[in-house]
């Protein structure tokens, strides 16, 4: 949209900006906004350019494991078996398609979930403050922006109250920059250097303001450089490193075994090099876990969708796995552990007086940025929007009849010092042209109202208000106010102090340090935010799971301690006498934390599992996270404010609030809670543990099959007998019968016992000794032994003993054996193949849990796993009874005659693994 002004937007006086943008102080009308939206388009940047789909598909064909298979296929061509070479290369293609499809679906899933949480903006339309999605903004819209908001478009400031903006996304400058509404004289300057402009992509670091949109979408400064972010390289996640480690480990085993087999075949057995090469290829292909990568992606995607249904939105896929290792949760109190539904419960006054009670509620309501609406259709006639604490104050004032929408306009705001986490208070200067009950009208008609943390506000007070007027505060009276605050806080109330200042000089012209001096205390307001009912059980689950829960709050220590006791985080104290402060052994306040060294802090955290940190500044929260991580803990941190962003980024898992969190906090987080509920974090940790457990399960399942597939070629070299399997049959297992069952393991729900185990230590490998031993030394040995026994039994029943079989091996190898002998080899090989397939059924059921009985798990539902078992049977039937397929994989239908015996194989494996689990449990 072109501005109708000769000067640049930053040089226009305030009264000319609205005319230039063809708007009004009440904002645009809905009709005009819709016309501009249709003409100029949505406030949305074009999607970032990504690698073309074709190139992303080719990435699946050239990763480490795929390159190994390309080499194996080439060796098969060299060995004179082109059909095997084509088959191996077909495996690469099939696996590439499957992997690409799973990654594509996972990416689309994350995009779809992200759309559930679009950026919201507050904008004046039709004279009312409305909440819209950022893409609906048009030039001329009037925005309200507060601390933590992401700036959605380029704007010209119209009002600014102690406003500071983080420009680091555009300039790289980490320190916030002050902004004001005054016009600038310079005719030419960079927009980012203009103190009255707010630029898209930046964020409000402190204060609040109102601004008019003058550029959207690609017309913004950020839109002009947005393409640079598309070139940012994505870092490798911990899970990806772990999977790469697994692939490299197994590949090293495959190559070493294949090379050793080739050397023994040529040097010891005197086999022809090409024949030896063929069997080395068979061993390599047998060991390579072709389906591992897509199964990991699918497991993450499935659990991401499950977590979304539990109100946890995953922004980074790898965070799901990291959740499984979380050992410490640093949680906010308000809105996360509590319901975030503040209500005024009690008022404290220096002297009980109805007029002072009215004045206290009026002052608290005026010193608020919440908005009040009268709703005649609702059982609750007054409705407020804004910060939960401020809305509670405003509703209480409205219900008492001392304030309503029109009255708010009777006290126009002249100045505001916004709340921040260091000052712990907020001050406004309002005009009043008539006396307020209990207060005389001053010559200036101005009144300063301060509300905030009682101790901070009380330190600025020189008097308190009585029915006869302000009375100087002496030490005893000050102590009485402090004791009243402590008494209320010890019952779990959030206590707000309200103070006033009148003066003969214009208050709005005073600097902040002078304005907030010489105050008169009006009283204390006690608000209660009840704990969520489910939090107590979630705390108990964390203890069972070995997870430390630390409450980190800006609230007063006694309030935090009381809430912690109500939810079971802290035990009630042995003595119930009134105390002047929180228990310093269990509740550490920010002032005390700043006096201890990092070494002392680490010792404190190491030896105390139940702690509450109160009156914490944002930089102290970051220090706490870093101390926990220095101890080797895996830390999840919750946050909702702009100042929480550093701690969210420093944590292993940053968790932002979706309902009451700021845009900056959500952008810095790995996971967003759509319900702001602590119990949802605990449920997400359970899903994270389930992901790690499921990955270990199907790794075990795959490795067992790999060993049993490689064993026939090792036996051929070591025992000088024919190979019990062909390489084509190996491929039939890996990409035929085993695919869907392995995916079923990835879809297992978290086991109940998972949250009774301690967290995984940081850096613990997925492919650890226990997985290797169970895969290769127990289940793998059993399956390989049963397959080789079935192969030899077929020969034995035909009257061919072991010695005779060794004699026939060279004939079968060189294709010079008689037709009956070749037919018998086909049948024996087919039975060995079927034995592996049947054994894998037992392995699949055994792998459903690392410690629970496989037979006992049969009653636990998993539709995808049962579908996998059905598919395994159908694929086996197709391989045996469809003639062209059977010929391709060297299988014969007569192997089905052994099915009655082969059903014993999965039962044997299942019983043996249950016995092993029982032994380990005892």
């Amino acid at each position: 949209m072109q501005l109708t002004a000769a000067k640049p937007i930053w040089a226009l006086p305030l009264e000319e900006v609205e005319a230039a943008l063809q708007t009004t102080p009440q904002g645009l009308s809905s009709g005009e906004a819709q016309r501009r939206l249709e003409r100029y388009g949505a406030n949305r940047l074009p999607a970032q350019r990504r690698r073309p789909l074709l190139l992303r598909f080719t990435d699946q064909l050239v990763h480490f494991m795929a390159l190994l298979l390309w080499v194996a296929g080439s060796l098969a061509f060299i060995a004179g078996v082109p059909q095997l070479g084509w088959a191996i290369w077909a495996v690469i293609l099939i696996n590439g398609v499957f992997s690409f499809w799973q990654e594509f679906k996972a990416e689309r899933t994350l995009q779809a979930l992200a759309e559930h949480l679009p950026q919201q903006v507050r904008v004046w339309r039709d004279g009312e403050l409305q909440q819209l999605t950022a893409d609906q903004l048009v030039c001329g819209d009037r925005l309200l922006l507060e601390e933590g908001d992401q700036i959605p478009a380029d704007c010209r400031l119209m009002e600014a109250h102690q406003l500071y903006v983080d420009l680091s996304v555009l300039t790289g400058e980490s320190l916030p920059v002050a902004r004001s509404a005054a016009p600038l004289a310079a005719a030419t300057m960079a927009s980012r250097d203009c103190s009255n402009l707010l630029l898209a992509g930046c964020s409000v670091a402190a204060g609040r303001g109102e601004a008019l949109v003058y550029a959207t979408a690609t017309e913004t400064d950020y839109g002009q450089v947005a393409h640079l972010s598309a070139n940012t390289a994505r870092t490798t996640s911990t899970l990806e490193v772990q999977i790469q480690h697994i692939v490299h480990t197994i590949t090293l085993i495959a190559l070493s075994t294949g090379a050793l087999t080739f050397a023994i075949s040529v040097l010891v057995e005197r086999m022809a090099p090409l024949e030896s090469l063929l069997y080395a290829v068979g061993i390599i292909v047998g060991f390579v876990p072709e389906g591992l990568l897509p199964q990991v992606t699918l497991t993450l995607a499935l659990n991401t969708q499950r977590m979304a249904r539990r109100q946890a939105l995953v922004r980074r896929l790898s965070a799901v796995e990291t959740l499984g290792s979380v050992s410490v949760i640093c949680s906010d109190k308000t809105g996360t552990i509590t319901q975030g539904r503040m209500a005024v419960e009690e008022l404290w006054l220096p002297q009980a007086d109805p007029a002072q009670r009215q004045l206290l509620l009026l002052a608290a309501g005026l010193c608020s940025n919440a908005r009040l609406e009268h709703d005649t259709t609702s059982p609750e006639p007054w409705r407020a929007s804004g910060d939960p604490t401020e809305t509670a104050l405003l509703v209480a004032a409205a219900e008492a009849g001392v304030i309503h929408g029109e009255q708010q306009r009777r006290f126009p705001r002249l100045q505001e010092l916004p709340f921040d986490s260091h000052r712990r208070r907020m001050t406004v200067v309002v005009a009043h042209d008539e006396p307020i009950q209990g207060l005389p009208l001053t010559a200036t008609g101005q009144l300063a109202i301060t509300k905030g943390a009682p101790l901070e506000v009380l330190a600025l007070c020189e008097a308190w208000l009585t029915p006869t007027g302000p009375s100087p505060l002496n030490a005893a009276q000050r102590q009485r106010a402090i004791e009243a605050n402590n008494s209320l806080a010890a019952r779990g109330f959030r206590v707000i102090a309200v103070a006033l200042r009148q003066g003969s000089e214009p208050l709005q012209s005073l600097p902040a340090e002078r304005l907030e001096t010489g105050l008169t205390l009006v009283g204390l307001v006690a608000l209660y935010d009840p704990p969520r009912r489910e939090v107590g059980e979630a705390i108990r689950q964390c203890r069972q799971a070995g997870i430390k829960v630390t409450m980190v709050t800006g609230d007063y220590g006694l309030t935090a301690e009381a809430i912690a006791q109500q939810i079971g985080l802290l035990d009630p104290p042995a003595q119930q006498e009134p105390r002047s402060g929180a228990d310093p052994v269990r509740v550490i306040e920010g002032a005390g934390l700043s006096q201890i060294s990092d070494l002392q802090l680490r010792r404190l955290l190491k030896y105390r599992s139940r702690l509450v940190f109160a009156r914490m500044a944002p930089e102290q929260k970051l220090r706490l996270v870093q101390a926990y991580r220095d101890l080797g803990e895996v830390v999840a941190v919750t946050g909702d404010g702009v100042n929480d962003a550093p701690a969210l980024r420093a944590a292993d898992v940053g968790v932002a609030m979706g309902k009451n969190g700021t845009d900056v906090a959500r952008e810095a987080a790995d996971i967003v809670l759509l319900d702001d509920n602590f119990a949802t974090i605990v449920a997400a940790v359970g899903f994270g543990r389930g992901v790690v457990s499921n990955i270990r399960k199907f790794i075990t399942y795959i490795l067992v099959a790999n060993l049993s597939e490689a064993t026939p070629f090792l036996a051929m070299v070591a025992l000088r007998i024919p190979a019990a399997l062909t390489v084509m049959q190996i491929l039939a297992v890996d990409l035929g019968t085993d695919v869907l069952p392995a995916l079923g393991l990835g879809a297992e729900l978290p086991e109940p016992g998972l949250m009774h185990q301690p967290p995984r230590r940081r850096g613990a490998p997925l492919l650890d000794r226990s997985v290797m031993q169970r895969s290769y030394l127990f289940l793998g040995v059993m399956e390989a032994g049963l397959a080789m026994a079935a192969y030899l039994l077929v020969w034995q029943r035909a009257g061919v003993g072991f010695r005779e079989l060794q004699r026939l091996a060279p004939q079968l190898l060189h294709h010079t054996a008689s037709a009956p002998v070749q037919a018998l080899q086909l049948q024996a090989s087919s039975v060995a193949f079927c034995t592996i397939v049947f054994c894998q059924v037992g392995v699949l059921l055994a792998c459903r849990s690392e410690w629970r009985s496989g037979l006992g798990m049969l009653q636990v539902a998993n539709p995808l796993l049962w579908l996998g078992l059905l598919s395994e049977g159908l694929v086996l039937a197709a391989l045996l009874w469809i003639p062209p397929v059977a010929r391709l994989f060297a299988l014969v239908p007569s192997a089905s005659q052994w099915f009655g015996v082969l059903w014993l194989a999965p039962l044997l494996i299942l019983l043996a693994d249950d016995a092993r689990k029982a032994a380990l449990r005892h």
Side-chain angles (χ1 to χ4, degrees):
M1 178 177 175
Q2 296 295 322
L3 298 180
T4 58
K7 296 180 181 179
I9 187 74
W10 59 80
L12 293 176
L14 295 177
E15 57 273 11
E16 295 182 22
V17 176
E18 290 170 354
L21 292 170
Q22 302 172 42
T23 187
T24 68
Q26 294 76 36
L28 297 171
S29 66
S30 297
E32 176 61 22
Q34 183 61 33
R35 283 190 290 272
R36 295 188 185 188
L37 184 65
E38 292 172 355
R39 181 174 180 182
Y40 299 107
N43 179 37
R44 186 187 303 122
L45 292 176
Q48 289 186 359
R49 286 196 312 165
R50 303 202 54 180
R51 281 171 60 82
L53 289 178
L54 181 60
L55 293 180
R56 291 164 64 189
F57 171 67
T58 58
D59 290 342
Q60 304 297 332
L61 306 180
V62 294
H63 58 73
F64 187 80
M65 199 157 51
L67 292 175
L68 180 63
L69 290 176
W70 282 116
V71 173
S74 302
L75 294 176
F77 279 102
I78 295 172
V81 190
Q83 66 272 25
L84 176 59
W86 287 118
I88 294 174
W89 287 357
V91 166
I92 302 171
L93 181 62
I94 294 169
N95 195 57
V97 170
F98 189 63
S99 299
F100 169 75
W101 178 244
Q102 289 303 331
E103 287 195 10
F104 181 73
K105 282 176 57 180
E107 181 181 293
R108 293 293 297 272
T109 298
L110 289 182
Q111 289 176 352
L113 292 175
E115 290 173 2
H116 287 295
L117 203 67
Q119 183 185 353
Q120 301 288 324
V121 294
R122 284 162 294 176
V123 57
W124 292 95
R125 291 270 178 92
D126 300 318
E128 295 182 354
L129 189 63
Q130 303 178 15
Q131 185 160 294
L132 305 174
T133 56
D135 60 359
Q136 295 178 273
L137 287 180
V138 296
C139 291
D141 268 329
R142 188 181 184 103
L143 298 180
L144 173 63
L145 294 164
E146 295 181 333
E147 178 180 313
D149 286 345
Q150 203 84 18
I151 299 170
D154 286 356
C155 309
R156 166 66 196 271
L157 269 170
M158 305 300 287
E159 296 180 21
H161 304 282
Q162 302 291 308
L163 188 65
Y164 288 82
V165 176
D166 180 357
L167 296 174
S168 59
V169 70
L170 291 177
T171 66
E173 174 58 52
S174 59
L175 295 177
V177 179
R179 286 292 185 255
S180 65
L184 303 176
T188 58
M189 61 190 308
S191 54
R192 66 191 63 183
D193 296 327
C194 297
S195 60
N196 58 9
L197 298 186
L198 302 179
L199 301 181
C202 302
S203 59
V204 180
R208 60 189 293 272
E210 294 197 19
L212 290 177
V213 175
Y214 69 86
T216 61
T218 55
E219 299 301 317
T220 63
D221 274 34
Y222 184 73
Q224 299 296 319
V225 298
H227 66 279
L228 297 177
S229 62
N231 299 324
T232 304
R234 187 178 69 89
T235 58
T236 304
S237 70
T238 305
L239 179 60
E240 289 170 328
V241 172
Q242 291 258 22
I243 296 301
Q244 289 173 6
H245 172 71
I246 293 172
V247 170
H248 291 168
T249 300
I250 297 174
T251 300
L252 180 61
I253 294 172
L255 290 175
S256 302
T257 308
L260 182 62
T261 301
F262 178 80
I264 293 174
S265 301
V266 173
L267 301 176
V268 179
E269 301 297 329
R270 302 299 181 183
M271 291 175 58
L274 291 181
E275 293 172 354
S276 301
L277 184 61
L278 177 62
Y279 289 104
V281 169
I283 289 174
I284 292 172
V285 173
F287 269 112
V288 172
E290 293 92 347
L292 178 62
L293 299 181
Q295 285 158 356
V296 170
T297 303
L298 179 65
T299 298
L300 291 174
L302 280 173
N303 282 275
T304 295
Q305 293 171 326
R306 287 172 176 168
M307 290 170 65
R309 289 193 288 270
R310 287 293 302 269
Q311 303 298 304
L313 173 63
V314 178
R315 297 187 67 250
R316 296 176 180 86
L317 205 59
S318 59
V320 180
E321 181 264 343
T322 309
L323 272 171
S325 302
V326 165
S327 57
V328 173
I329 299 176
C330 294
S331 175
D332 282 338
K333 177 183 73 68
T334 304
T336 307
I337 287 175
T338 62
Q339 296 179 18
R341 297 178 180 175
M342 290 283 185
V344 174
E345 296 287 338
E346 293 188 21
L347 301 178
W348 178 87
L349 300 166
Q351 295 181 24
D353 180 73
Q356 279 189 264
R357 180 185 178 89
Q358 301 280 73
L359 177 61
L360 176 59
L361 290 172
L362 174 64
L366 291 175
C367 188
S368 165
N369 287 320
R371 304 276 173 173
L372 187 67
E373 299 175 8
H374 187 60
D375 188 355
T376 57
T377 64
S378 172
E380 298 179 358
W382 295 105
R383 185 178 62 191
S385 58
D387 174 81
T389 300
E390 295 193 335
T391 58
L393 294 173
L394 201 54
V395 167
E399 290 176 346
V402 300
I403 196 170
H404 51 74
E406 291 301 322
Q407 269 188 308
Q408 278 184 293
R409 298 186 184 95
R410 284 177 47 217
F411 299 92
R413 186 173 297 183
L414 305 176
Q415 186 184 359
E416 175 185 337
L417 300 179
F419 176 88
D420 74 53
S421 54
H422 292 89
R423 294 169 55 250
R424 301 184 189 278
R425 59 185 179 270
M426 168 186 179
T427 297
V428 297
V429 177
V430 298
H432 66 111
D433 53 7
E434 58 186 62
I436 301 174
Q437 188 174 10
L439 282 179
L441 180 66
T442 62
T444 60
Q446 294 183 4
L447 179 67
I449 308 171
T450 298
K451 82 172 193 306
L455 297 187
E456 277 74 4
V457 173
L458 196 58
L460 303 174
C461 293
E462 296 179 353
W464 68 11
L465 195 63
T466 67
T468 58
S471 173
L473 267 176
N474 58 37
Q477 293 168 332
R478 192 178 298 273
Q479 184 60 32
R480 181 184 159 202
I482 293 174
E483 289 175 357
N485 169 60
N486 291 345
S487 175
L488 292 169
R491 293 160 57 193
F493 290 125
R494 168 178 282 187
V495 186
I496 303 293
V498 180
L500 303 175
R501 173 176 175 173
Q502 293 179 293
S504 56
E505 55 184 331
L507 297 175
Q508 69 181 109
S509 61
L510 295 180
E513 57 273 12
R514 285 190 58 199
L515 180 61
E516 295 179 329
T517 58
L519 303 181
T520 298
L521 179 68
V522 180
L524 305 177
V525 182
L527 304 100
Y528 187 61
D529 182 10
R532 296 177 183 268
R533 287 179 296 177
E534 59 272 24
V535 167
E537 174 61 19
I539 295 287
R540 188 187 65 79
Q541 290 178 7
C542 286
R543 286 187 182 149
Q544 288 182 338
I547 299 172
K548 299 177 184 177
V549 178
T550 300
M551 182 191 291
V552 186
T553 178
D555 261 356
Y556 191 46
L558 279 169
T559 303
E561 183 180 26
I563 296 296
Q565 291 170 5
Q566 292 173 23
I567 63 174
L569 178 60
L570 297 179
D571 294 327
Q575 48 90 19
Q576 299 294 333
E577 296 85 14
R579 289 178 287 144
S580 61
D583 182 356
V585 176
R586 304 184 300 173
V587 181
I588 293 91
E589 297 201 357
L593 182 65
S594 62
Q595 296 175 5
I596 65 176
S597 67
D598 289 341
L599 177 60
Q600 291 172 316
L601 176 58
R602 288 195 294 270
R603 286 176 178 169
L604 176 72
L605 299 179
K606 183 176 181 179
Y607 296 110
R608 294 190 194 170
S609 59
R610 302 186 186 187
L611 287 171
V612 172
F613 288 86
R615 309 295 292 271
M616 291 283 280
E619 61 272 14
Q620 292 176 318
K621 188 173 185 178
L622 175 61
R623 182 188 175 200
L624 182 65
V625 172
Q626 291 170 334
Y628 268 126
R629 297 193 80 235
D630 289 342
L631 290 172
E633 306 282 7
V634 179
V635 187
V637 174
T638 70
D640 55 7
V642 62
N643 290 325
D644 290 324
L648 291 171
R649 290 193 180 96
D652 296 280
V653 181
V655 183
M657 303 298 109
K659 292 171 66 177
N660 295 316
T662 61
D663 298 329
V664 175
R666 287 195 288 264
E667 188 63 29
D670 303 294
I671 293 173
V672 177
L673 301 184
L674 302 180
D675 60 357
D676 294 6
N677 194 336
F678 177 83
T680 303
I681 305 174
V682 181
V685 171
F687 280 114
R689 291 192 175 190
V691 166
V692 173
S693 177
N694 288 353
I695 292 175
R696 289 168 58 90
K697 290 172 186 176
F698 63 66
I699 287 175
T700 302
Y701 178 76
I702 291 171
L703 295 186
V704 170
N706 292 159
L707 180 65
S708 61
E709 291 161 355
T711 298
F713 297 96
L714 296 172
M716 181 200 71
V717 175
L719 303 178
R720 302 181 184 181
I721 61 174
L725 290 179
T726 68
V727 179
M728 294 294 291
Q729 289 167 356
I730 291 174
L731 298 178
V733 172
D734 290 347
L735 291 176
T737 59
D738 272 3
V739 173
L740 278 181
L743 296 180
L745 287 175
E748 286 282 353
L749 288 170
E751 298 180 57
L754 276 177
M755 293 300 284
H756 294 169
Q757 298 178 5
R760 290 174 67 238
R761 58 182 174 81
R762 181 186 295 277
L766 290 170
L767 186 61
D768 58 12
R769 179 179 297 179
S770 65
V771 172
M772 296 285 282
Q773 288 177 343
R774 188 184 183 202
S775 303
Y776 284 157
L777 301 183
F778 186 74
L779 293 175
V781 168
M782 284 189 63
E783 183 173 302
L786 289 172
M788 291 306 300
Y791 175 76
L792 295 174
L793 185 59
V794 173
W795 285 101
Q796 186 69 35
R797 289 193 60 182
V800 178
F802 189 76
R803 295 288 185 186
E804 180 64 16
L805 184 59
Q806 287 179 318
R807 187 184 66 80
L808 293 174
Q811 299 176 28
L812 289 168
L813 182 63
H814 298 99
H815 307 291
T816 59
S818 63
V821 171
Q822 291 186 18
L824 195 56
Q825 166 67 8
L826 280 176
Q827 185 178 13
S829 179
S830 299
V831 172
F833 172 82
C834 292
T835 303
I836 289 177
V837 174
F838 274 76
C839 285
Q840 283 294 95
V841 173
V843 173
L844 179 75
L845 298 177
C847 287
R848 293 189 69 188
S849 174
E850 293 188 57
W851 64 89
R852 296 171 68 189
S853 165
L855 289 173
M857 290 287 291
L858 291 176
Q859 59 187 339
V860 179
N862 183 345
L864 187 56
L865 184 131
W866 304 126
L867 180 63
L869 282 176
L870 177 62
S871 74
E872 192 164 18
L874 294 176
V875 171
L876 178 59
L879 290 169
L880 291 178
W881 285 306
I882 298 178
V885 178
R887 284 194 298 271
L888 177 63
F889 290 96
L891 297 169
V892 291
S894 59
S896 59
Q897 299 171 2
W898 292 74
F899 282 7
V901 178
L902 293 183
W903 277 114
L904 296 174
L907 183 61
L908 179 62
I909 285 181
L910 197 54
L911 291 174
D913 194 60
D914 277 1
R916 184 192 66 86
K917 292 173 183 175
L920 290 176
R921 285 196 298 270
H922 289 294

